[in-house]
């Protein structure tokens, strides 16, 4: 990703909150930290499964104005369904955007922006193992030339989790990027730190977090978790299979991700062991196959025609589902290790799972002029997004399944 000036970063967690002040006692992200705590046994049990059978009943549609000031109009389920912005894919659900209609960026009154969807899980979690099998994410076409690559200009897509009363409950950005970004950025946001060495003292100390254990070619891009930037690690396109990508054009984000048929992102959030880790396994790899399992649907037609299937949940799914032990996952793309003086539940709790596709706004729009491809297309991000609907034909998610595991069957 292109270097960004501090003022250009998005307030990534403002999606459900007004602009909030940055706390005076931030998290500090260090280059290394040795945590001698012995990890607890995994013992993860599958407690929730979201797929085509229940996704649209388990996720709520956000349709208020975009808190990140994007050129986007989030619509409700009925509107999205009627407009073809959501639907069933062969093994999952599709979450898309309008790529048909031109929208004036200079209308009076101001146009709300390009129609899109943002969905939030109705269930919330505090720690756990989260496994997302994603076939396709919003991107440009195929990136073979400048004109095709430009179709990702203006995009700001994300798969993330966050808690209430942002930013005090934290945020985990699992898959996120803007414009022509080619590799994934993984970011934490947190605030409201307290010095745990002084009982009951609020805001007087700091909380140290390190990247110990991250993949060697993952780069630390920002180190203050309490700032608007968050503490961010840029993944440089790799995966967690222990090998470099063998096929040219494949990767963990955007065009390359889609070209490879997507894959599986896994997040282990352990408050007791003091870490958040993120892995990516490309389609066809052994762990991606095991983690995806056989929990996706066989045909969209079967799901759509069965009203009794819509409210199916994970109840009764055995813990023997393959791949539920992250100790076998290998090196994560990004690891965030909290020191023993930091109480994770004070800062990360009650998270919902979110998928959304935005345009422009506090990040993609703010850095428009820093992207050589995008700035040559239009003076403003909004002008390009409004006038070029066909460029966003590939701006959709296909989510096959999301699995949530808890230790000993404990729910978040």
């Amino acid at each position: 990703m292109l270097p960004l000036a501090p003022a250009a970063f998005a307030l990534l967690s403002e999606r459900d909150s007004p602009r909030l002040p940055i706390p005076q006692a931030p998290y500090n992200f260090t280059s290394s930290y040795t945590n001698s705590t012995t990890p607890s046994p995994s013992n993860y049990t599958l407690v929730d499964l979201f797929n085509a059978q229940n996704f649209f009943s388990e996720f709520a549609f956000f349709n208020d104005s975009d808190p990140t000031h994007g050129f986007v109009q989030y619509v409700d389920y009925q509107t999205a369904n009627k407009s073809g912005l959501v639907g069933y894919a062969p093994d999952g659900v599709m979450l898309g955007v309008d790529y048909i209609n031109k929208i004036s960026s200079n209308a009076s009154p101001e146009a709300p922006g390009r129609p899109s969807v943002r969905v939030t899980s109705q269930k919330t979690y505090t720690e756990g193992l989260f496994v997302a099998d994603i076939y396709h994410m919003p991107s440009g076409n195929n990136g073979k030339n400048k004109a095709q690559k430009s179709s990702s200009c203006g995009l700001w897509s994300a798969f993330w989790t966050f808690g209430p009363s942002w930013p005090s409950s934290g945020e985990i950005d699992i898959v996120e990027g803007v414009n022509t970004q080619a590799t994934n950025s993984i970011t934490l946001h947190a605030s409201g730190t307290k010095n745990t060495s002084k009982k009951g003292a609020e805001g007087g100390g700091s909380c140290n977090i390190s990247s110990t254990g991250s993949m060697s070619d993952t780069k630390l891009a920002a180190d203050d978790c309490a700032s608007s930037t968050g503490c961010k690690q840029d993944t440089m396109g790799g995966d967690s299979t222990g090998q470099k990508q063998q096929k040219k054009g494949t990767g963990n984000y955007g065009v390359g991700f889609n070209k490879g048929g997507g894959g599986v992102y896994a997040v282990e959030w352990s408050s007791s062991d003091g870490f958040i880790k993120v892995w990516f396994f490309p389609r066809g790899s052994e762990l991606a196959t095991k983690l995806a399992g056989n929990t996706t649907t066989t045909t969209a037609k079967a799901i759509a025609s069965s009203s009794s299937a819509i409210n199916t949940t994970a109840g009764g799914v055995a813990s023997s589902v393959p791949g539920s032990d992250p100790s076998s996952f290998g090196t994560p793309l990004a690891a965030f290790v909290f020191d023993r003086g930091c109480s994770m539940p004070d800062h990360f709790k009650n998270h919902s799972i979110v998928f959304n596709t935005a345009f422009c706004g506090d990040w993609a729009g703010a850095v428009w002029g820093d992207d050589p491809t995008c700035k040559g297309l239009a003076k403003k991000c909004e002008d390009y997004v409004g006038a070029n609907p066909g460029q966003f034909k590939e701006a959709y998610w296909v989510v096959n399944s999301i699995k949530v595991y808890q230790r000993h069957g404990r729910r978040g």
Side-chain angles (χ1 to χ4, degrees):
M1 188 172 68
L2 295 172
L4 308 178
F9 281 111
L11 291 174
L12 301 181
S13 306
E14 282 190 18
R15 300 176 174 94
D16 277 315
S17 67
R19 190 178 299 272
L20 297 174
I22 300 303
Q24 296 302 309
Y27 282 91
N28 295 320
F29 198 96
T30 57
S31 59
S32 64
Y33 180 84
T34 301
N35 189 336
S36 60
T37 301
T38 301
S40 304
S42 294
N43 296 322
Y44 278 108
T45 300
L46 183 63
V47 297
D48 283 311
L49 165 65
F50 306 111
N51 60 14
Q53 291 180 313
N54 66 351
F55 190 93
F56 292 123
S57 63
E58 294 285 345
F59 279 71
F61 279 68
F62 174 91
N63 66 333
D64 289 336
S65 58
D66 178 29
T68 60
H69 312 107
F71 189 66
V72 59
Q73 178 185 6
Y74 290 122
V75 300
D76 59 25
Y77 172 74
Q78 290 75 18
T79 303
N81 188 40
K82 184 177 180 180
S83 304
L85 302 190
V86 298
Y88 294 101
D91 282 315
V93 297
M94 184 276 290
L95 310 168
V97 306
D98 170 41
Y99 62 89
I100 302 298
N101 301 294
K102 291 187 177 183
I103 301 171
S104 174
S105 59
N106 299 305
S108 181
E110 185 178 355
R114 183 159 299 287
S116 179
V117 295
R118 168 178 156 168
V119 296
T120 305
S121 67
Q122 299 186 59
K123 294 182 179 179
T124 62
Y125 306 92
T126 298
E127 70 179 3
L129 174 64
F130 305 84
V131 177
D133 178 6
I134 304 170
Y135 178 75
H136 189 282
M137 69 169 292
S139 76
N141 293 325
N142 59 27
K144 288 183 178 179
N145 56 51
K146 183 177 180 179
Q148 292 167 332
K149 185 177 181 182
S150 70
S151 62
S152 60
C153 287
L155 275 177
W156 179 1
S157 53
F159 162 44
W160 50 293
T161 71
F162 77 110
S165 302
W166 185 92
S168 61
S169 300
E171 176 178 344
I172 307 170
D173 295 318
I174 304 161
V175 180
E176 186 169 39
V178 299
N179 298 330
T180 58
Q181 185 172 320
T183 61
N184 187 26
S185 294
I186 302 171
T187 306
L188 298 189
H189 293 266
S191 65
T193 61
K194 66 180 181 179
N195 186 343
T196 55
S197 65
K198 295 182 179 180
K199 199 170 184 179
E202 294 287 343
S206 61
C207 201
N208 293 316
I209 306 174
S210 81
S211 57
T212 300
S214 296
M215 188 171 288
S216 61
D217 63 352
T218 293
K219 306 299 182 184
L220 178 62
D223 62 4
D224 185 353
C225 303
S227 72
S228 59
T229 310
C231 45
K232 177 166 60 175
Q233 298 185 53
D234 288 340
T235 61
M236 314 308 288
D239 61 48
S240 302
T241 63
Q243 298 180 346
K244 297 291 185 182
Q245 292 283 354
Q246 298 299 311
K247 296 180 180 179
K248 185 177 180 181
T250 60
N252 61 26
Y253 180 87
V255 172
F257 178 89
N258 297 335
K259 191 172 183 179
V264 171
Y265 266 96
V267 180
E268 185 179 17
W269 165 9
S270 175
S271 295
S272 58
D273 296 324
F275 63 71
I276 294 171
K277 297 178 180 179
V278 180
W279 293 263
F280 171 63
F281 305 102
R283 187 74 59 202
S285 64
E286 181 180 359
L287 270 168
T289 301
K290 288 181 177 180
L291 287 166
N294 60 355
T295 55
T296 54
T297 60
T298 53
T299 65
K301 184 176 180 181
I303 295 302
S305 64
S306 175
S307 58
S308 63
I310 296 302
N311 291 317
T312 301
T313 64
V317 178
S319 60
S320 60
V321 172
S324 59
D325 181 6
S327 67
S328 66
F329 288 1
T331 305
L333 282 183
F336 301 86
V337 182
F338 294 68
D339 68 23
R340 288 170 304 223
C342 177
S343 173
M344 282 187 70
D346 286 346
H347 312 295
F348 287 84
K349 58 188 174 184
N350 301 325
H351 278 209
S352 297
I353 302 167
V354 184
F355 287 89
N356 76 284
T357 304
F359 299 95
C360 306
D362 293 336
W363 189 4
V367 300
W368 181 264
D370 297 327
D371 189 306
T373 298
C374 298
K375 71 178 182 180
L377 300 172
K379 183 177 180 180
K380 295 190 305 180
C381 178
E382 294 83 357
D383 294 342
Y384 178 75
V385 170
N388 296 277
Q391 294 291 339
F392 302 105
K393 191 172 183 179
E394 293 293 319
Y396 63 90
W397 296 93
V398 172
V399 181
N400 291 340
S401 67
I402 304 168
K403 300 174 187 174
V404 181
Y405 299 82
Q406 296 289 338
R407 282 177 174 160
H408 308 291
R410 182 181 64 213
R411 289 181 177 270

